[in-house]
Amino acid sequence: MDDKVASKLQNVVDEDASPGKPRWRLAMLLNFLVITFGSLLTGLMLASMKKTRKYLEFVDGFDGGDFMMILSVVGFVSALVGLFGVSVTSLSTSLRKYRRIRYLVWAYIGWSAGLVALAGVSFWLTFTAAGNLDVAFRPGFTASLVKYQKEVNVRNSIDAAQMELKCCGNHNYSEWYSVQWTDGTSKSDVAIPQSCCDTETAAAKGTSCVTQVPFGEAIKLTPLTTGCVSAMVSYYGKLLKKGAYALLAIAFATGFIVFIVFLEARDPALSQSTERGNLVKKSIDNSQMEKTTKDKNGDEHEEQSGKAAPILQATMPYPAMPYPYGYGAAPVMPY
């Protein structure tokens, strides 16, 4: 069979998969969506952990950012599975390529199903944790308040948290009244750290921050009125909800991909096209093998024919002589 004919026939076989191309392409686009949400989840958790870890280490019961690290790993795994899915679904738009990777398609279905379960469980845990933050942060940093004066690391962490989250104390700025956090105040004064000062309120009043006054004039202070526990709950609640929504999007997108790819891989028309393509490929291979065999036999026949004449000439013991009364030649016989 001619190579051009074989190529055209193979292209015809590839076109049998054209009805499934839109579904494969839809699955590929959904995989891009999984990559996007997985990358966003990883970046969000890592950035937030780096930003807030410095001032959350003093909070009683803080897990050190382990939960956010787990979520970032889930996002990274999601992005990897999505990247693998893009490759599989892109190659599967061609029937010829699909026949080569059909086992990888089924492996991808299994991994994607596992990702759906992982993202679903992570979503449930994240959403539950977001709703229980008030309980988790309730102890606050009460035990660290008494260390504020003597331990520099604790003082720097609390100041960073109060300035970053715009809060003061655990639940109220008045908690600082009962703590000996500096030697610069007497028993008849009340004071708050400089990090508790509400600069906006002070600017609106046309005064500078007031952090220390006599006990009876506490109203003159300009503190931040929001407690740090409620500020932490609000901040981390928003952060975890963003992560939960990203996980939910990953779970739904991956589940839909599994549905599409499974139906496409189980499509009888695709199976018949694959079998027909295998038969055509086998026919093409057989034809090319027959052509190669014929060409080889022809070459051997020509080679043997070329060697036959010298062999016959070598077997004649006497030279050829012309007949005296006719045409032709006859050997000269000795008498």
Side-chain angles (χ1 to χ4, degrees), residues 28-64:
M28 183 170 60
L29 291 176
L30 289 173
N31 273 301
F32 278 117
L33 189 66
V34 172
I35 294 173
T36 301
F37 278 106
S39 302
L40 289 175
L41 178 62
T42 300
L44 178 65
M45 291 299 130
L46 290 179
S48 299
M49 184 172 61
K50 182 179 179 180
K51 177 182 177 181
T52 61
R53 192 170 187 173
K54 61 184 178 181
Y55 59 75
L56 283 180
E57 294 177 345
F58 65 89
V59 176
D60 300 338
F62 179 59
D63 64 354

Side-chain angles (χ1 to χ4, degrees), residues 8 11 32 42 46 52 74 81 85 107 118 155 190 216 270 286 307 321-322 329 332:
K8 290 181 179 180
N11 290 335
F32 278 117
T42 300
L46 290 179
T52 61
V74 173
V81 174
L118 177 63
R155 181 165 62 251
V190 291
L270 182 61
N286 291 338
K307 292 179 180 180
M321 298 293 290
V332 177

Side-chain angles (χ1 to χ4, degrees), residues 227-299:
C228 287
V229 170
S230 60
M232 290 177 186
V233 170
S234 177
Y235 176 81
Y236 276 94
K238 294 178 181 178
L239 176 65
L240 292 181
K241 286 181 180 179
K242 290 178 181 178
Y245 294 145
L247 289 167
L248 185 63
I250 291 171
F252 271 108
T254 308
F256 195 38
I257 291 171
V258 171
F259 177 73
I260 293 174
V261 174
F262 179 78
L263 290 183
E264 191 65 25
R266 294 281 295 176
D267 188 1
L270 182 61
S271 301
Q272 293 172 4
S273 298
T274 304
E275 294 175 1
R276 185 164 61 253
N278 291 333
L279 293 175
V280 172
K281 185 176 183 298
K282 185 176 181 181
S283 176
I284 293 172
D285 293 339
N286 291 338
S287 300
Q288 292 177 347
M289 187 179 297
E290 291 176 2
K291 181 181 177 182
T292 304
T293 304
K294 289 180 180 179
D295 293 341
K296 185 177 180 182
N297 291 337
D299 293 340

Side-chain angles (χ1 to χ4, degrees), residues 176-216:
W176 287 105
Y177 297 171
S178 58
V179 177
Q180 185 64 33
W181 59 270
T182 179
D183 294 330
T185 58
S186 63
K187 295 182 179 180
S188 60
D189 293 339
V190 291
I192 57 175
Q194 186 67 29
S195 58
C196 276
C197 184
D198 187 353
T199 56
E200 295 180 359
T201 301
K205 291 181 178 180
T207 61
S208 58
C209 286
V210 179
T211 59
Q212 182 175 347
V213 293
F215 186 80

Side-chain angles (χ1 to χ4, degrees), residues 307-318:
K307 292 179 180 180
I311 293 175
L312 291 176
Q313 186 175 1
T315 56
M316 296 177 66
Y318 305 106

